[in-house]
Amino acid sequence: MNTLKTILVAVDFSTGSRAALEQASRIARLQGAKLHVLHVVDSTAVATLASSRESTYESQATSATEGARTALNAWLTQSEVPADVEVTIAIGTPLHEILEHVRSLKADLLVAGIAGTGQTVAGAGSVSGKLARKSPSRVLLVRSTHPHAFQRVVACIDFSDTAKEVMAAARRIAIKDSASVDFLHVWQEPLIASPYGGSGDTLIGIGHPTVVFTPAERQTLIEGLRHELHEFVSDAAQGIKATEVLRESLNYGNGIAAHAEEAKADLIVMGGKGRTNLRYMLMGSTAERLLTRLPCSILIVKPTLENTGS
């Protein structure tokens, strides 16, 4: 990861957020960054309590804030957090409040657990997935089984400008955690639409796509990709344990997940390509699909403003 100054970790007392807290604390110490811990009390629950107890929303909000702060302070003592950690209790909609705090703190990194109170088994849960999609900062989603240093990292390379940032982040993690890195490029064999339409074809009469490459052309493509990958990652691979991997897959997200599973990776680093939408960032389709089949923790590196076309 690039040098970080401010890290925000969102916690909800789940095992996933415990791992997120420990990762955020560890990274803050390594980077000399300021750590902020945020817990959001759902305003809908506060309103429901106020109604059921025939009390005012304000009084229930005060009571909930005090109770949450007491519980959170006790919860934090079970982890080694930096001495200067700042703790905030907010009341509102969790997604909105977390994103607002990312913005107001100008956080360089947002950390959250993948499995929250719902204990999602595979893929990112609803809130964590939306955080990955909408946060303007880098997002680290942490599996409950990965509270410690990362050992096997998969860096997803697509030869874009953002991939250079992915590569740099993976290298820094490898150096700080003594981890190995697989620089992975997932590719699809080019297809062309058949000019012969079937009876069910519509509009322009295009049939099923067919492969256009001969075996020799296919091999030439593979060798070209292998050379391009080597040239692209050669500087980042210097001085670390690195492997260059080409993987063919009909779906980029599935190809990344499959390799991560086979390699027993504990972290995937990939770019969240997209464009700015107001102050939030939209991810690309590969990152979106990967979040539904996430085998390990993931660091999503957002494009810099000059690379978004905004």
Side-chain angles (χ1 to χ4, degrees):
M1 266 170 272
N2 294 329
T3 301
L4 305 173
K5 295 181 180 179
T6 305
I7 299 173
L8 174 65
V9 57
V11 301
D12 61 4
F13 303 112
S14 65
T15 55
S17 65
R18 170 68 68 189
L21 172 66
E22 295 186 358
Q23 276 293 353
S25 298
R26 187 180 72 85
I27 294 169
R29 287 191 293 268
L30 286 173
Q31 298 273 357
K34 177 70 175 181
L35 179 64
H36 295 259
V37 177
L38 172 66
H39 174 70
V40 181
V41 178
D42 196 320
S43 55
T44 301
V46 174
T48 300
L49 280 175
S51 176
S52 65
R53 296 175 179 176
E54 297 183 348
S55 177
T56 65
Y57 179 89
E58 290 73 17
S59 65
Q60 287 303 314
T62 299
S63 177
T65 300
E66 293 173 352
R69 186 174 300 279
T70 298
L72 183 56
N73 287 337
W75 191 76
L76 291 176
T77 62
Q78 300 173 41
S79 295
E80 295 183 9
V81 298
D84 63 344
V85 63
E86 290 196 10
V87 179
T88 301
I89 305 294
I91 294 182
T93 303
L95 178 65
H96 174 77
E97 290 297 327
I98 294 169
L99 293 173
E100 284 298 300
H101 278 75
V102 170
R103 180 187 60 81
S104 63
L105 292 170
K106 297 181 180 178
D108 304 297
L109 177 68
L110 169 63
V111 185
I114 291 177
T117 53
Q119 294 299 299
T120 304
V121 176
S126 175
V127 173
S128 58
K130 290 176 181 176
L131 289 174
R133 184 181 305 112
K134 295 183 177 183
S135 173
S137 71
R138 295 185 175 199
V139 179
L140 175 61
L141 300 181
V142 183
R143 278 280 179 211
S144 58
T145 52
H146 298 146
H148 308 299
F150 297 111
Q151 296 300 305
R152 189 70 183 269
V153 178
V154 173
C156 304
I157 305 299
D158 63 1
F159 308 122
S160 66
D161 287 335
T162 305
K164 296 176 183 177
E165 299 179 41
V166 167
M167 197 165 53
R171 175 178 172 80
R172 287 181 174 87
I173 293 168
I175 292 172
K176 298 220 177 253
D177 286 359
S178 298
S180 64
V181 179
D182 286 356
F183 290 108
L184 171 69
H185 176 69
V186 176
W187 65 282
Q188 296 176 338
E189 184 162 324
L191 302 175
I192 189 169
S194 167
Y196 306 107
S199 59
D201 297 332
T202 59
L203 298 179
I204 59 175
I206 297 299
H208 295 293
T210 56
V211 177
V212 293
F213 278 2
T214 66
E217 290 170 330
R218 174 186 168 87
Q219 188 59 37
T220 298
L221 171 64
I222 293 172
E223 291 304 320
L225 288 173
R226 184 173 289 116
H227 176 75
E228 186 175 9
L229 180 61
H230 177 73
E231 290 295 311
F232 194 86
V233 307
S234 58
D235 289 343
Q238 292 295 320
I240 64 173
K241 185 178 180 182
T243 304
E244 297 164 15
V245 182
L246 286 179
R247 186 182 186 105
E248 183 180 10
S249 176
L250 293 176
N251 178 282
Y252 294 115
N254 287 345
I256 294 167
H259 178 77
E261 290 168 350
E262 292 171 9
K264 294 181 171 56
D266 47 20
L267 179 68
I268 294 170
V269 184
M270 74 175 303
K273 296 194 300 182
R275 57 180 177 82
T276 54
N277 177 24
L278 299 179
R279 61 179 177 269
Y280 299 140
M281 188 70 72
L282 297 175
M283 290 197 303
S285 58
T286 298
E288 294 273 5
R289 292 193 190 101
L290 183 57
L291 286 174
T292 67
R293 187 194 163 182
L294 200 54
C296 60
S297 300
I298 184 170
L299 172 64
I300 297 175
V301 179
K302 300 299 180 75
T304 55
L305 289 178
E306 60 267 26
N307 293 334
T308 62
S310 298

